[in-house]
Amino acid sequence: MNFKKYINIVLLSLLLLLGSCSDKESTAKDKEQEELIKKEIRIPAGSSLYSELEGIGLTVPFIVELITALSNDVDVASIKPNSLFEVYLEANTNEFKKISYVESPIVSHQVRYEHGEFHYEFVELETEKRVRIIEGFLYGTLSQALSDKGVELAIRNQVNHALSSKINFNRQAQKGDYFKIIAEEQYYLNDKMPGTKLLYVYYSGKAAGKVEGYRYQETDSKSAYNGMYLENGTAMLSSALRLPLDRVQITSRFGYRIHPISRRKKLHTGIDYRAKRGTPVYAIAQGIVVRASWNGGFGKSVEVRHPDGIISQYAHLDRINVRHGQSVKAGTIVGAVGSTGYSTGPHLHFGIRQNNKWVNPQNYKMTSATKLEKARMQAFKKQIEEIKQKIDSLPTDDSDPLEMTTLERYRRENSKKRN
Ligand SMILES: [Zn+2]
């Protein structure tokens, strides 16, 4: 394909466009300042990267090649509305040079066009990690206490999720219970970035007893094993499964049935729930999205792999809200009820796959005791030591009162008064 020719046409049309849309242009800040023009594109809901690129004057064949190149490394189909793209054009010739999909303030995917070839580059800015300790006593709910200390929602959820695997807060939490968490925040040029991680959680109460957990992390940031664990390697997974809908009414169960469309006897591989188009669909438990795309007769589908290896499936969706590789929690909205694929009307088809076989979701219980074993356990022990060192290096004054002797408590109170 002769791109030069297309680019020449683009050139002409861009030159004509330049006068009318100069307010949309801004020059790149770095050394490319003199040579490149940057155009920022935010894809509105209902539009696509394709039509937005057409809107800035790239030709159809070139756009097809460009998107194909980008989709080798980025799941283009599930890019959310309003995502930012930066297109760099040569200032003098208006030749296409580079496109950058800005996934977050620190992560971007770049595709350069050079000598008729596309080159992909994953760019992640180095962030500064800051460790913060938050501790205190309960006077209302734990969430409230954490919130009052400025702990963001995502971390409060992680803390609640981890601790609720061991503590029944409704029954066991009491005024005066002690908690301590360690969070690792990411900063870029003194701006706090998303992606704060809970490293350590400790809770101690008369009725709740003592619970202590540490983060385990693999180099693959998408590993299903990443999460909070007790020191013995048992995952702190809340065993409560969320239902995929707020209100469930089963219209068709798992098992053999006469298919409503084909009229043939066929295994119905999941449960159908009655629901209106657009009803939010939730992930039933924590996991990683392993599919967020069209899947034949299932239509628009989402599949989530959970830490115990099981995959939950949400099919015939009208809309998909997650992307491939994204990690979700129990209750994360994965999409909306629809009737895409082989379907007679809006409903949710919900399936569960275990060892590559569909099983009856109604018989399924999350095997909550995911354990770290062998090499993973060895790696976890090392990570625990690192976290303990971080804890020791942090200033603290509210030690667990249940762990202190009367004398220690007396000393602490007095040293506080002196300060
Ligand atoms: Zn179904």
Side-chain angles (χ1 to χ4, degrees), residues 32-82:
E32 293 159 331
Q33 199 167 7
E34 284 104 46
E35 306 137 29
L36 295 185
I37 294 172
K38 179 170 91 177
K39 287 180 179 251
E40 292 194 351
I41 300 175
R42 281 193 190 273
I43 299 167
S47 184
S48 65
L49 176 59
Y50 183 91
S51 45
E52 293 303 309
L53 287 173
E54 227 184 334
I56 65 159
L58 298 185
T59 61
V60 170
F62 187 78
I63 295 168
V64 171
E65 292 285 325
L66 174 58
I67 292 181
T68 308
L70 189 62
S71 57
N72 285 335
D73 301 280
V74 180
D75 187 7
V76 177
S78 55
I79 289 171
K80 285 185 190 142
N82 227 11

Side-chain angles (χ1 to χ4, degrees), residues 59-318:
T59 61
V60 170
F62 187 78
I63 295 168
V64 171
E65 292 285 325
L66 174 58
I67 292 181
T68 308
L70 189 62
S71 57
N72 285 335
D73 301 280
V74 180
D75 187 7
V76 177
S78 55
I79 289 171
K80 285 185 190 142
N82 227 11
S83 293
L84 176 64
F85 285 83
E86 295 168 349
V87 179
Y88 293 84
L89 303 170
E90 170 89 46
N92 298 320
T93 63
N94 273 305
E95 246 175 278
F96 173 90
K97 281 288 173 191
K98 186 169 86 174
I99 188 166
S100 177
Y101 162 42
V102 185
E103 192 184 316
S104 79
I106 48 172
V107 172
S108 62
H109 306 263
Q110 303 189 348
V111 173
R112 281 178 296 118
Y113 183 63
E114 264 172 21
H115 312 297
E117 278 180 21
F118 293 100
H119 304 273
Y120 171 82
E121 198 184 346
F122 177 77
V123 182
E124 188 171 23
L125 299 175
E126 185 98 4
T127 54
E128 182 202 339
K129 292 188 170 67
R130 296 184 194 169
V131 180
R132 192 153 80 97
I133 183 165
I134 300 110
E135 55 188 336
F137 301 94
L138 234 64
Y139 40 85
T141 66
L142 176 60
S143 273
Q144 188 57 51
L146 291 170
S147 169
D148 288 350
K149 287 181 180 282
V151 177
E152 64 208 77
L153 178 67
I155 293 296
R156 299 202 303 269
N157 285 343
Q158 286 180 44
V159 170
N160 272 321
H161 187 73
L163 290 177
S164 60
S165 68
K166 290 281 142 198
I167 299 167
N168 180 335
F169 278 100
N170 286 333
R171 285 194 359 240
Q172 298 172 312
Q174 291 176 357
K175 210 176 257 184
D177 284 1
Y178 168 79
F179 64 88
K180 174 152 98 179
I181 72 166
I182 311 282
E184 187 184 75
E185 301 171 329
Q186 292 196 77
Y187 282 82
Y188 181 67
L189 300 176
N190 272 331
D191 285 328
K192 194 168 151 199
M193 293 292 129
T196 303
K197 275 180 198 150
L198 178 67
L199 292 186
Y200 173 81
V201 60
Y202 180 87
Y203 190 97
S204 161
K206 279 198 182 115
K210 257 195 293 179
V211 179
E212 189 173 32
Y214 298 83
R215 169 166 295 273
Y216 168 70
Q217 204 164 300
E218 299 190 345
T219 17
D220 174 9
S221 62
K222 288 171 182 171
S223 165
Y225 283 92
N226 294 341
M228 299 301 290
Y229 289 80
L230 300 176
E231 202 159 359
N232 68 10
T234 306
M236 299 173 87
L237 290 172
S238 173
S239 53
L241 289 179
R242 207 204 175 289
L243 285 163
L245 299 170
D246 279 325
R247 288 166 38 156
V248 292
Q249 189 183 356
I250 296 176
T251 52
S252 178
R253 292 177 191 278
F254 178 89
Y256 282 92
R257 65 166 185 186
I258 304 294
H259 192 275
I261 295 177
S262 70
R263 297 269 141 218
R264 279 165 49 190
K265 196 180 168 194
K266 201 171 174 255
L267 176 69
H268 184 229
T269 58
I271 295 177
D272 288 347
Y273 291 116
R274 171 170 299 159
K276 288 198 186 106
R277 184 187 305 275
T279 306
V281 175
Y282 307 104
I284 55 157
Q286 172 201 345
I288 307 284
V289 175
V290 291
R291 174 189 285 279
S293 60
W294 191 275
N295 184 16
F298 288 125
K300 284 189 189 170
S301 300
V302 169
E303 292 183 9
V304 176
R305 189 179 67 226
H306 302 288
D308 59 358
I310 261 158
I311 289 172
S312 60
Q313 178 211 32
Y314 316 81
H316 307 308
L317 300 175
D318 192 53

